[in-house]
Amino acid sequence: YEMWEKAREVYRICVEKVVKDDAVDRVAALEAVGRLSESLKDFAGANAVYTEALGLVDENHWLHKQLIIKVLHNSEQLGQGPAFVGRLAKTASERAQSLAALRDLALAQEKTGDTPKALAALEQAHALAPADVPVIADLILLWSRSTGPGTAAKRAELYKKLIGTMPENFEAYVGLADMYIEMQQPEQAREALRTLEKSASKSPLKYLVMARAYRKFGMKQSARQAFERTLRDDPQNIDAAMELCDFCLQSGDDESVKRAIGIRDGLIAVARLDETGYLRLMQIFLDRSRSNEALETIGHGAANVFPQSFILRQALADLHYSRKEFQKAIQQYVFALSRACAYGVVGKPT
């Protein structure tokens, strides 16, 4: 009912009387107080509880970063953004061996647009802990937002360090290949992908990452083989099945189209698709100008699997409409409307 002040009072009672020393619940309640304080434009009050929450969250936890951003945002609303960044810089200086303090400082500097200083703080953190994966990842991300010569080479070196530290990070090999392409070094890019292929891991995810990379770089035969390998090793991988289906449709030859339809029929036969899955599969065929197959797909889901779903009925109606099959579209829209009303939904069907 948007009674923000009353809600905040109740959450404060919860913090003081109910959760007490339970750190997890206390942080959740403090966050709620902070959000309500922001709704009331009480940015100082929000910062007070966010700061308390920061003291309860491990410095390496993802929530710590989120809370730093919240405090920075509210400090800026109060005209105190530079002062907050200054305090973080002072903490980082006093705790010279603290990765967390340097990462907090870099995050705040990045959010305020001071990329060079953010990079300097992260490079200092990287020097302290060369094998720290979050620091390397943060550096890669920050260098990707930098402009000027040498940024691709810098990121390539970081990707190499990430691979050396964490060989099972399959995306890092692809990132390294991307950097070589950006630097117009295609043979080195292929070598990066070969290194991934030869790596010891037998994880199906490795082959899916390879397939996506090969597809992106136009290596069609290798992409097809990697997609097929993923499905052979992990038959339950719906993402791999969907992507291989799309890849085969894009190829366009009769054998590939037949394979795509076979994949679709396999997904339907084993009843592994939810409503979103049917919508996604329909869209794959539509995007490749296969309207008939799209209609078969969504029609089966709407009629045989989720007969009460107004979402699938509406999608089926939209597809009939796009095909200028207006009478069929009307029938499905009416059915979708009846289901939507039954579930109390007001929206497009109406």
Side-chain angles (χ1 to χ4, degrees):
Y1 294 99
E2 298 186 0
M3 299 165 65
W4 310 126
E5 190 61 64
K6 290 288 186 183
R8 185 167 66 166
E9 288 176 13
V10 174
Y11 272 115
R12 279 186 169 141
I13 293 171
C14 180
V15 171
E16 295 164 5
K17 305 291 186 182
V18 182
V19 298
K20 297 183 180 178
D21 297 329
D22 186 313
V24 175
D25 287 343
R26 189 175 182 86
V27 168
L30 287 169
E31 271 203 288
V33 174
R35 290 194 301 273
L36 289 164
S37 297
E38 289 170 337
S39 298
L40 292 163
K41 308 296 183 185
D42 180 10
F43 302 114
N47 267 2
V49 293
Y50 288 146
T51 300
E52 182 181 347
L54 272 169
L56 300 171
V57 177
D58 185 273
E59 291 178 327
N60 294 310
H61 194 279
W62 62 267
L63 184 56
H64 181 88
K65 179 183 288 189
Q66 188 178 84
L67 289 168
I68 288 289
I69 293 173
K70 287 177 179 288
V71 174
L72 174 62
H73 170 74
N74 291 321
S75 296
E76 289 175 333
Q77 294 295 317
L78 294 166
Q80 299 170 3
F84 175 66
V85 176
R87 288 197 298 275
L88 291 177
K90 185 173 184 290
T91 300
S93 176
E94 293 171 347
R95 300 170 59 192
Q97 302 299 311
S98 171
L99 291 182
L102 287 166
R103 291 184 67 194
D104 288 349
L105 175 60
L107 176 63
Q109 289 169 332
E110 178 200 351
K111 293 300 179 183
T112 56
D114 197 342
T115 301
K117 287 186 178 180
L119 280 169
L122 280 179
E123 291 288 4
Q124 187 178 344
H126 183 49
L128 286 174
D132 188 275
V133 171
V135 170
I136 297 173
D138 286 347
L139 271 171
I140 290 172
L141 181 61
L142 199 52
W143 275 110
S144 72
R145 296 171 180 169
S146 303
T147 57
T151 58
K154 183 65 178 178
R155 288 159 67 195
E157 288 302 315
L158 288 166
Y159 276 121
K160 290 177 185 177
K161 291 179 180 179
L162 186 55
I163 292 168
T165 303
M166 196 177 184
E168 68 277 16
N169 188 326
F170 308 126
E171 297 287 354
Y173 298 85
V174 181
L176 179 58
D178 283 335
M179 293 305 97
Y180 283 129
I181 292 296
E182 189 172 324
M183 293 187 288
Q184 300 182 349
Q185 298 175 18
E187 183 52 42
Q188 285 88 336
R190 283 189 286 269
E191 183 58 33
L193 296 180
R194 283 194 290 266
T195 303
L196 171 58
E197 187 174 2
K198 294 175 183 176
S199 64
S201 174
K202 300 299 181 184
S203 167
L205 177 59
K206 170 182 135 176
Y207 295 100
L208 182 56
V209 170
M210 285 169 51
R212 291 167 176 167
Y214 286 139
R215 184 179 188 182
K216 178 169 65 173
F217 295 131
M219 303 165 66
K220 295 182 180 180
Q221 184 177 355
S222 296
R224 174 72 179 267
Q225 291 172 349
F227 275 128
E228 296 285 5
R229 173 66 184 269
T230 305
L231 273 186
R232 186 172 75 245
D233 293 353
D234 184 10
Q236 306 301 313
N237 193 319
I238 292 178
D239 285 335
M242 294 274 194
E243 291 182 44
L244 178 55
C245 179
D246 181 60
F247 178 83
C248 289
L249 290 174
Q250 186 181 34
S251 297
D253 60 275
D254 291 344
E255 185 277 329
S256 295
V257 171
K258 184 178 179 181
R259 175 71 174 122
I261 293 173
I263 292 169
R264 178 201 65 178
D265 293 346
L267 286 169
I268 290 173
V270 296
R272 283 162 46 204
L273 297 179
D274 57 12
E275 290 173 289
T276 302
Y278 274 97
L279 292 172
R280 181 181 173 188
L281 196 53
M282 175 197 72
Q283 194 61 49
I284 285 172
F285 282 97
L286 279 180
D287 289 344
R288 300 302 174 191
S289 301
R290 292 275 173 177
S291 178
N292 290 337
E293 289 83 357
L295 187 62
E296 291 170 359
T297 302
I298 198 67
H300 177 84
N304 302 316
V305 185
F306 299 102
Q308 301 303 312
S309 170
F310 67 87
I311 296 173
L312 295 190
R313 292 286 179 169
Q314 180 180 324
L316 179 57
D318 289 343
L319 184 50
H320 278 307
Y321 186 87
S322 70
R323 291 161 57 96
K324 301 189 185 304
E325 298 166 352
F326 300 122
Q327 191 59 45
K328 292 179 179 179
I330 289 171
Q331 292 172 355
Q332 297 302 327
Y333 278 131
V334 169
F335 188 92
L337 175 59
S338 70
R339 292 296 86 208
C341 290
Y343 289 112
V345 177
V346 178
K348 188 177 178 182
T350 307

